[in-house]
Amino acid sequence: MSAHSPAMAAATLDFLCWAGVDEPALLEAFENDTGIKVQCKTFVGGDSMYSLLTNSKRQYDVVMVGSEYIAKLYADGRLATLDPADYDLSQYIPTFKRLPPCYVKDTMIALPIEFGANGLAYNTSVISASEASSYAILQSDKVKGKVGVWDRYLPIMGVLSKSLGNAAAYDISDEQFMALKKALFGMRQQMSVIAPNFPVLIASLARGETVVVPGGAAFFATALHRQGVPIDWIIPKEGGVMWVDSLVVPTDAPHPDLAKIFLQWMCSSKAQALLANKKAFSASVPNAAAYSMIDPGVRKLLKTENGEEAEALAKKLAVRTFPVQQTEQIWQNAWEEFKTGK
């Protein structure tokens, strides 16, 4: 991967990724190591990614996808299979060496590269760690009018499902779903904001208008700590949800050979340390060897100082998926009812 052949020097890989992953520190390191340039198209939100990919033709070589979209895109015939022998995952923590959403039966479809927890983010000047240790804080008079969420049903409904004692947050019966709807609608009177995006919610937290966020994650804390805002995050005793970003190769990728080189590089400790350190949003990573290269302040905020702590965190969480026993539309309808208050 370090050879700069004339063919590689003239090559460009097209990468569809989350906004913020396109930071120069990451992409320039890849170009320096391989001679391959990267051209990025960014998105915000999995639905945007899904629309961009499904409506494209021979446009993207590599796409960054959330765990919940992998099976859906594979069923649509949009994802190529991967050969596990091509990727050195020997330094990956155990949970990620064969992460179920990245496989269809025994066939590898995706390569996981970063992850994080959806639990509770909270203002430490208002809420104690003890109070934040249970989702029950969401119904406290202390936070009335100060609970904020962003407009994404899966993480918020996922953690509320966990708060009700559901081991599999998204694989619940219709009776359990009705209880989840009741919990969701019961939170409406506590709300400060249902933000259309992360920046709006981050701003509300920074101003103190919002003091607790169900579904909140480590990247809230890392972003706000840089602004001097006292925000922390926790996995409450009822559990949390794990978001995972993975790389996939579309079936019509113009340069599948370049895509393989990019995936090989992205599972390295060097690349994953750069991912964890990125300014837009920090994340834990599967490669245990990366942690010694991650900024100590970032490691502290991520609460994963090393591979052992990253594995311990992953084991506490339920991987985020689409609903299993209900349709996506049923969950989305409940979310829309919650947003409108009707």
Side-chain angles (χ1 to χ4, degrees):
M1 289 193 296
S2 60
H4 287 54
S5 70
M8 292 295 100
T12 299
L13 175 139
D14 284 284
F15 183 28
L16 177 62
C17 63
W18 267 96
V21 177
D22 57 331
E23 289 183 3
L26 177 70
L27 302 182
E28 288 175 5
F30 172 72
E31 182 178 347
N32 289 337
D33 285 351
T34 66
I36 302 169
K37 295 183 181 297
V38 180
Q39 180 171 284
C40 290
K41 168 72 175 178
T42 62
F43 60 83
V44 176
D47 289 343
S48 176
M49 173 280 301
Y50 184 81
S51 176
L52 287 166
L53 176 55
T54 55
N55 289 300
S56 69
K57 291 184 178 180
R58 290 188 55 78
Q59 186 171 356
Y60 305 113
D61 295 303
V62 177
V63 180
M64 193 172 198
V65 301
S67 56
E68 61 267 35
Y69 288 92
I70 297 170
K72 185 175 182 178
L73 285 165
Y74 184 69
D76 291 344
R78 295 295 291 159
L79 302 185
T81 60
L82 304 178
D83 184 349
D86 288 334
Y87 307 102
D88 179 9
L89 305 188
S90 61
Q91 295 179 317
Y92 267 35
I93 60 177
T95 291
F96 289 91
K97 287 188 175 182
R98 189 183 169 93
L99 190 71
C102 294
Y103 282 76
V104 175
K105 295 183 179 179
D106 290 327
T107 301
M108 186 179 183
I109 304 300
L111 176 74
I113 57 166
E114 64 178 5
F115 72 99
N118 294 126
L120 281 180
Y122 65 100
N123 188 311
T124 59
S125 68
V126 179
I127 299 169
S128 69
S130 176
E131 290 171 319
S133 68
S134 171
Y135 292 104
I137 185 63
L138 297 172
Q139 295 302 325
S140 170
D141 288 341
K142 188 173 187 176
V143 300
K144 190 175 182 65
K146 292 184 176 294
V147 178
V149 297
W150 69 101
D151 190 5
R152 181 72 171 122
Y153 77 96
L154 278 177
I156 290 84
M157 292 180 72
V159 297
L160 290 181
S161 180
K162 293 296 291 182
S163 79
L164 297 174
N166 298 322
Y170 303 99
D171 188 0
I172 58 177
S173 68
D174 289 344
E175 181 179 358
Q176 290 170 317
F177 178 71
M178 293 307 295
L180 172 58
K181 282 183 65 175
K182 183 178 179 180
L184 178 65
F185 296 167
M187 196 171 66
R188 191 66 180 83
Q189 64 184 3
Q190 301 289 87
M191 300 306 298
S192 58
V193 64
I194 301 174
N197 52 48
F198 290 130
V200 172
L201 183 55
I202 293 291
S204 182
L205 283 161
R207 291 191 298 266
E209 297 165 356
T210 293
V211 300
V212 63
V213 178
F219 58 79
F220 284 80
T222 53
L224 287 161
H225 265 263
R226 294 184 181 115
Q227 301 177 36
V229 182
I231 300 294
D232 201 357
W233 66 279
I234 192 171
I235 305 301
K237 62 185 179 182
E238 300 92 342
V241 169
M242 180 164 64
W243 61 267
V244 181
D245 283 332
S246 299
L247 300 180
V248 297
V249 179
T251 48
D252 61 353
H255 309 104
D257 53 337
L258 302 187
K260 182 167 76 171
I261 294 170
F262 187 66
L263 267 62
Q264 289 171 334
W265 188 83
M266 287 290 280
C267 66
S268 70
S269 57
K270 175 181 178 177
Q272 294 198 6
L274 290 167
L275 274 174
N277 283 327
K278 62 185 179 295
K279 295 178 181 178
F281 63 95
S282 300
S284 298
V285 292
N287 192 313
Y291 285 88
S292 63
M293 294 180 276
I294 297 172
D295 180 89
V298 172
R299 293 201 308 264
K300 182 177 180 180
L301 290 171
L302 291 173
K303 302 184 181 180
T304 47
E305 291 280 351
N306 50 51
E308 290 79 9
E309 291 185 6
E311 176 66 9
L313 172 63
K315 285 184 174 180
K316 293 179 182 178
L317 306 171
V319 179
R320 201 163 75 195
T321 70
F322 283 120
V324 177
Q325 298 188 47
Q326 298 81 35
T327 64
E328 291 177 55
Q329 192 62 56
I330 286 173
W331 282 52
Q332 289 169 348
N333 288 345
W335 182 251
E336 291 301 318
E337 289 178 50
F338 162 70
K339 289 195 321 182
T340 60
K342 296 179 180 178

